[in-house]
Amino acid sequence: MVRVDLSGAAAFFDPAGPDYAAAAKAHRDLVDGTGAGSEFTGWLNLPARIKDGELKSILAAAQKIRSRSKALVVIGIGGSYLGAKGAIELLRPVPSEDDPMILFAGNGLSPDALTDIIEKLGDRDFDVNVISKSGTTLEPAIAFRVFRKLLRDKYGAAAKKHIFATTDSAKGVLKSMADAEGWECFVVPDDVGGRYSVLSAVGLLPMAVAGIDVKAVVNRAIEELKALDLRSPENPAWQYAAARQHLYGRGRGIEILACYEPSFRFMAEWWKQLYGESEGKNGIGIYPASVELTADLHSMGQYIQDGPRTLIETVVSFDKPRHAFPLPFEMGDPDGLNYLAGKDLGDICATAAEAVKSAHISGGVPNIVISVPSRDEAGFAALVCFFEVACAISGYMSGVNPFDQPGVEAYKKNMFRLLGKPGT
Amino acid sequence: MVRVDLSGAAAFFDPAGPDYAAAAKAHRDLVDGTGAGSEFTGWLNLPARIKDGELKSILAAAQKIRSRSKALVVIGIGGSYLGAKGAIELLRPVPSEDDPMILFAGNGLSPDALTDIIEKLGDRDFDVNVISKSGTTLEPAIAFRVFRKLLRDKYGAAAKKHIFATTDSAKGVLKSMADAEGWECFVVPDDVGGRYSVLSAVGLLPMAVAGIDVKAVVNRAIEELKALDLRSPENPAWQYAAARQHLYGRGRGIEILACYEPSFRFMAEWWKQLYGESEGKNGIGIYPASVELTADLHSMGQYIQDGPRTLIETVVSFDKPRHAFPLPFEMGDPDGLNYLAGKDLGDICATAAEAVKSAHISGGVPNIVISVPSRDEAGFAALVCFFEVACAISGYMSGVNPFDQPGVEAYKKNMFRLLGKPGT
């Protein structure tokens, strides 16, 4: 399990402290299915189901793609791409020679961005993984039409063998198209919302194609979810959920997720969706933001230290870097850094993190540290399960349904009307 | 000039509206040098100075690097990399065959990130541009030591010809090293802070190496700064500054910078430093955040629509995309998109933006649109000048010194002490 350290937040708590009784109730509601939106809590046993289900097909499809193609175009938006993109950047920041290029399309409407993706793709052999529960979401639907045409132009009748559809198991436009054309299909489970779907085929197929050991991810996730069922204030998910709700009640309206690994950048985007979409409703919710450290100490650092005292800083910390990197000694010490020569950069980074933590606490920013053993498949799985469970508990504690997203419809209705979609 | 449209914010104004008299005074203080931190307002005439100064040397150095190297490692943190990185992603999202790979290092302390950069560099011929006013900032100093060693290992005595130092004109560790070693030097002007330095050699050299027409940038910036001297509420910088300060006074503590071009992502990071570091002090300041649209409508969209009504949404909009992209017609209309066939994706995107704007306003989010004619050198220059002038005015209106960053020192002091730096 990940470890949560609240010592840097304690000075900002009321004497009563975080409400673990409320966390316990929220956890019960989640597990017993007595909370709002309980029809979307299938992610609680998703890794176990997929292991006994389609994991083999996912691995086989990934192997097929890796062996014949130099690129995979992943078409999806929101929960249909953020998790996989976050995982791939975190775990495979530099692709190996054998890894197909992973291109994410259909997550916007910019003609320039789509043109750029097609240019990057070049004349590589490629496959497409289209990910959409319904098939009617505009952005991926448009991109998918474009790439279907590119596939037909390139492969003719064999194009259909290059399409993998991750969609509803039975209904919807995309499923109908897949059945009619004979595309290989994977399932977006009915009881799992988009932002909780990274450990389904939605996330696992692109991750596997990128060279991530998704079997290790799934195995570890099964263990983590078991461990996170702990009903006690020792549960890190209770700690995180209860602490942030407590701080929110004391005027802390913005949470900054920070990490000292630049490869974490897109995991923070995944986290923003998870928390922002789950909790931001009914006029309440902590605003989820992120910084990359130490880079952003030289940009947002000033605000964090001296701006309004409305922030919570949550640091995701990996216990061990992947690589040793001792700082070289240099004759003559022209830059005055020889006092660090021979020290490992990882240790210097850890020291900097300590210094930042104490500076920010002194400056009036409560600090939560989430420690993950390693930046690998196990660490990724642990982090995902932790954040998902904690988010559901936190959402219930705040009184919202953490599994719906009624506000997402407003612009869509406007848009389809303005575009003249038949029937609007 | 860029155009500012406040019509989507007007419903959220007091009857009195934005305080243009205060904007006028702030502008006067800025231009007359009577405001706080006036010793750092040299950016107001920086483009003109550089055009008559070192622009030729910058172009010559860039040409030399482009002709002999396959990569440029840019070493810098904060204002010493965000502007160039933002510009390159915005203007050269897909490098051409002739463009050297631009790698940004020294903006963090992660040993894994540094290892990744070195792996990406591979055995390419490369040059280094180290950017630091003093040479003592830890992150770039460490990376620079590492890359100096790599250069010596690769080029021996000729290594010195592969180093370009952008630093103080006369003093500091980096300048001393450069003089001793004979590296070619460029100047970080004394009267320009890091976050306002993108139109000096700090930003222009990496941009030129990446293939950006920096002469066009500089020429346009000269014109823009002249135009932005307009002393009237017609000035878009007044409009933006006064509107956001007015909204901040009415409980809007978070500003989300949004753009429908994914290539804008790092410009938003540049903007966050500019505004966060200029305004976040003395316990006040708008929190600068960003979203990428339409992608983040499917993640942060729920929060924006239905969360706490503390947001301002500012949309950067490019009038024309670079590429036409008509949606293909498809026989049988399997996905039901033929009602859009033949329409250009750029128009569909613009329609979506209209729909989003009205949905967010209805949901209680004031909307400001900043329109830029084109996503090219001229558009970039216009945007940079606009944001810089508006930031200074906005900072003065809020009563702070927009040119200092006292809070950035706190963690550095802790860090150097913990690291055992001699003399701490």
Side-chain angles (χ1 to χ4, degrees):
Chain A
M1 274 200 296
V2 308
R3 305 181 312 282
V4 169
D5 177 0
L6 299 179
S7 64
F12 304 88
F13 291 160
D14 271 341
D19 187 350
Y20 287 113
K25 178 174 183 325
H27 199 174
R28 251 191 338 265
D29 281 341
L30 172 66
V31 176
D32 297 349
T34 48
S38 62
E39 65 277 26
F40 291 110
T41 53
W43 51 272
L44 277 167
N45 60 9
L46 178 59
R49 279 190 289 164
I50 205 152
K51 197 192 170 185
D52 297 332
E54 64 184 1
L55 185 58
K56 261 192 197 162
S57 320
I58 290 171
L59 291 168
Q63 196 41 49
K64 195 191 292 174
I65 296 167
R66 284 180 65 88
S67 65
R68 74 181 179 199
S69 284
K70 290 285 170 204
L72 174 70
V73 179
V74 180
I75 297 175
I77 196 166
S80 296
Y81 89 106
L82 286 168
K85 183 158 181 186
I88 293 168
E89 287 198 8
L90 184 71
L91 302 177
R92 307 286 289 181
V94 185
S96 82
E97 284 282 310
D98 301 335
D99 293 337
M101 178 187 255
I102 310 288
L103 294 164
F104 292 91
N107 53 55
L109 291 170
S110 159
D112 291 353
L114 192 53
T115 305
D116 289 347
I117 292 166
I118 292 169
E119 198 182 328
K120 279 185 199 160
L121 181 61
D123 60 0
R124 285 178 180 79
D125 277 303
F126 72 103
D127 286 275
V128 167
N129 179 203
V130 57
I131 306 169
S132 178
K133 181 80 176 159
S134 65
T136 56
T137 302
L138 186 67
E139 295 91 336
I142 284 178
F144 186 36
R145 179 176 270 216
V146 168
F147 282 98
R148 276 201 311 279
K149 182 167 183 328
L150 291 175
L151 281 173
R152 278 196 309 269
D153 292 349
K154 191 178 180 84
Y155 297 112
K160 63 172 69 168
K161 293 189 198 300
H162 287 265
I163 296 175
F164 299 82
T166 305
T167 186
D168 193 275
S169 64
K171 60 185 188 306
V173 171
L174 183 53
K175 178 63 181 165
S176 304
M177 292 169 73
D179 288 348
E181 298 285 334
W183 304 328
E184 186 166 348
C185 283
F186 295 93
V187 177
V188 182
D190 282 329
D191 54 0
V192 177
R195 59 189 177 274
Y196 288 87
S197 69
V198 62
L199 299 179
S200 75
V202 169
L204 296 177
L205 179 56
M207 285 161 63
V209 174
I212 292 170
D213 180 354
V214 297
K215 216 170 187 174
V217 169
V218 168
N219 284 335
R220 182 54 175 258
I222 292 171
E223 283 173 41
E224 287 297 317
L225 286 166
K226 223 173 276 170
L228 285 163
D229 195 40
L230 179 67
R231 311 296 173 91
S232 122
E234 309 271 285
N235 187 329
W238 288 28
Q239 293 170 353
Y240 179 53
R244 57 199 296 283
Q245 286 301 329
H246 184 71
L247 291 166
Y248 183 52
R250 303 197 64 201
R252 302 285 170 165
I254 300 172
E255 180 179 7
I256 302 176
L257 194 71
C259 186
Y260 287 81
E261 291 300 333
S263 61
F264 191 77
R265 178 176 288 272
F266 242 84
M267 283 300 296
E269 297 300 320
W270 169 83
W271 171 87
K272 283 181 199 171
Q273 180 189 15
L274 183 61
Y275 281 78
E277 202 170 49
S278 298
E279 295 190 324
K281 48 196 71 158
N282 308 346
I284 61 166
I286 299 172
Y287 186 88
S290 63
V291 291
E292 177 190 320
L293 300 184
T294 58
D296 291 346
L297 295 173
H298 299 253
S299 64
M300 290 299 296
Q302 167 63 38
Y303 190 103
I304 296 171
Q305 195 70 42
D306 280 345
R309 301 301 74 187
T310 52
L311 308 180
I312 304 167
E313 184 175 43
T314 299
V315 180
V316 172
S317 170
F318 295 94
D319 292 348
K320 268 191 312 232
R322 290 179 170 188
H323 302 280
F325 206 120
L327 191 69
F329 176 85
E330 189 170 326
M331 285 287 288
D333 201 16
D335 52 6
L337 285 183
N338 272 352
Y339 75 102
L340 296 173
K343 279 203 191 179
D344 197 273
L345 193 48
D347 295 328
I348 296 172
C349 188
T351 302
E354 275 310 302
V356 171
K357 181 177 169 179
S358 74
H360 288 179
I361 293 170
S362 307
V365 180
N367 181 286
I368 299 173
V369 180
I370 297 169
S371 294
V372 189
S374 49
R375 189 163 66 88
D376 58 8
E377 277 78 355
F380 169 79
L383 206 51
V384 164
C385 294
F386 163 77
F387 274 133
E388 288 183 350
V389 172
C391 182
I393 292 174
S394 179
Y396 279 154
M397 288 181 76
S398 80
V400 302
N401 175 353
F403 305 113
D404 68 357
Q405 52 282 335
V408 176
E409 297 309 312
Y411 92 91
K412 287 189 191 172
K413 230 172 111 178
N414 286 350
M415 181 176 68
F416 282 124
R417 187 177 43 77
L418 290 175
L419 288 173
K421 183 179 180 177
T424 59
Chain B
M1 275 201 295
V2 308
R3 306 180 313 282
V4 169
D5 177 1
L6 298 179
S7 65
F12 303 88
F13 290 159
D14 272 341
D19 187 349
Y20 288 113
K25 177 173 184 327
H27 199 174
R28 246 185 349 257
D29 282 341
L30 172 67
V31 175
D32 296 349
T34 49
S38 61
E39 66 276 28
F40 291 110
T41 53
W43 51 272
L44 276 167
N45 61 8
L46 179 57
R49 279 189 291 164
I50 205 152
K51 197 188 171 189
D52 296 332
E54 64 185 0
L55 185 58
K56 261 193 194 161
S57 320
I58 290 171
L59 291 168
Q63 196 41 49
K64 194 191 295 176
I65 295 168
R66 285 180 65 89
S67 64
R68 74 179 178 199
S69 284
K70 291 286 171 202
L72 174 69
V73 179
V74 180
I75 297 175
I77 195 165
S80 296
Y81 88 108
L82 286 168
K85 184 159 180 183
I88 293 168
E89 287 197 9
L90 184 72
L91 301 177
R92 309 285 289 181
V94 185
S96 82
E97 284 281 311
D98 301 336
D99 292 338
M101 177 188 257
I102 311 288
L103 295 163
F104 291 91
N107 53 55
L109 291 170
S110 160
D112 291 354
L114 192 52
T115 305
D116 289 348
I117 292 166
I118 293 169
E119 197 182 328
K120 279 184 199 160
L121 181 60
D123 60 359
R124 285 177 180 79
D125 276 304
F126 73 102
D127 285 275
V128 166
N129 179 204
V130 56
I131 305 169
S132 177
K133 181 79 175 159
S134 66
T136 56
T137 302
L138 187 66
E139 294 90 336
I142 284 178
F144 186 37
R145 179 177 271 216
V146 168
F147 282 98
R148 275 201 310 280
K149 185 170 180 327
L150 291 175
L151 281 173
R152 278 196 308 269
D153 292 349
K154 192 177 179 88
Y155 297 112
K160 63 172 69 170
K161 293 189 198 300
H162 288 266
I163 296 175
F164 299 82
T166 305
T167 187
D168 194 275
S169 64
K171 61 184 187 306
V173 171
L174 183 54
K175 178 62 180 163
S176 303
M177 291 169 74
D179 287 346
E181 298 286 334
W183 305 329
E184 186 166 349
C185 283
F186 296 94
V187 177
V188 182
D190 281 329
D191 54 0
V192 177
R195 60 188 176 273
Y196 288 87
S197 70
V198 61
L199 299 179
S200 75
V202 169
L204 296 176
L205 178 55
M207 285 161 63
V209 174
I212 292 170
D213 181 353
V214 297
K215 216 170 185 172
V217 170
V218 169
N219 284 335
R220 181 56 173 260
I222 293 171
E223 283 174 40
E224 287 298 316
L225 286 167
K226 225 173 276 171
L228 285 163
D229 195 40
L230 179 67
R231 311 297 172 91
S232 121
E234 309 270 284
N235 186 329
W238 288 28
Q239 294 171 353
Y240 179 53
R244 57 199 297 284
Q245 285 301 328
H246 183 72
L247 291 166
Y248 183 53
R250 303 196 67 201
R252 302 284 169 165
I254 300 171
E255 180 178 6
I256 301 176
L257 194 71
C259 186
Y260 287 82
E261 291 300 333
S263 60
F264 191 77
R265 179 175 288 272
F266 243 84
M267 284 300 295
E269 297 300 320
W270 169 83
W271 172 87
K272 283 182 199 173
Q273 180 189 16
L274 183 60
Y275 281 77
E277 204 170 46
S278 297
E279 296 189 324
K281 48 196 70 158
N282 308 345
I284 61 167
I286 298 173
Y287 186 88
S290 63
V291 292
E292 177 190 320
L293 301 183
T294 59
D296 291 347
L297 296 173
H298 298 253
S299 63
M300 290 299 297
Q302 167 64 36
Y303 190 103
I304 296 170
Q305 194 71 41
D306 280 346
R309 300 302 76 188
T310 52
L311 307 180
I312 303 166
E313 184 175 44
T314 299
V315 180
V316 172
S317 170
F318 295 94
D319 292 347
K320 270 193 308 237
R322 290 179 170 186
H323 302 279
F325 205 119
L327 191 70
F329 174 85
E330 189 170 328
M331 286 286 288
D333 201 17
D335 52 6
L337 286 184
N338 272 352
Y339 75 101
L340 296 174
K343 279 203 189 182
D344 196 273
L345 192 47
D347 296 329
I348 296 172
C349 189
T351 302
E354 275 311 302
V356 170
K357 181 177 170 180
S358 76
H360 287 178
I361 294 170
S362 307
V365 180
N367 182 286
I368 299 172
V369 179
I370 296 168
S371 295
V372 189
S374 50
R375 189 162 67 87
D376 58 8
E377 277 77 354
F380 169 78
L383 206 51
V384 163
C385 294
F386 163 77
F387 273 134
E388 288 182 350
V389 172
C391 182
I393 293 175
S394 179
Y396 279 154
M397 287 181 76
S398 79
V400 302
N401 175 353
F403 304 113
D404 67 359
Q405 53 281 335
V408 176
E409 297 308 313
Y411 91 92
K412 286 190 192 172
K413 228 172 113 180
N414 287 350
M415 182 175 67
F416 283 124
R417 188 176 42 77
L418 290 176
L419 288 173
K421 183 179 180 178
T424 58

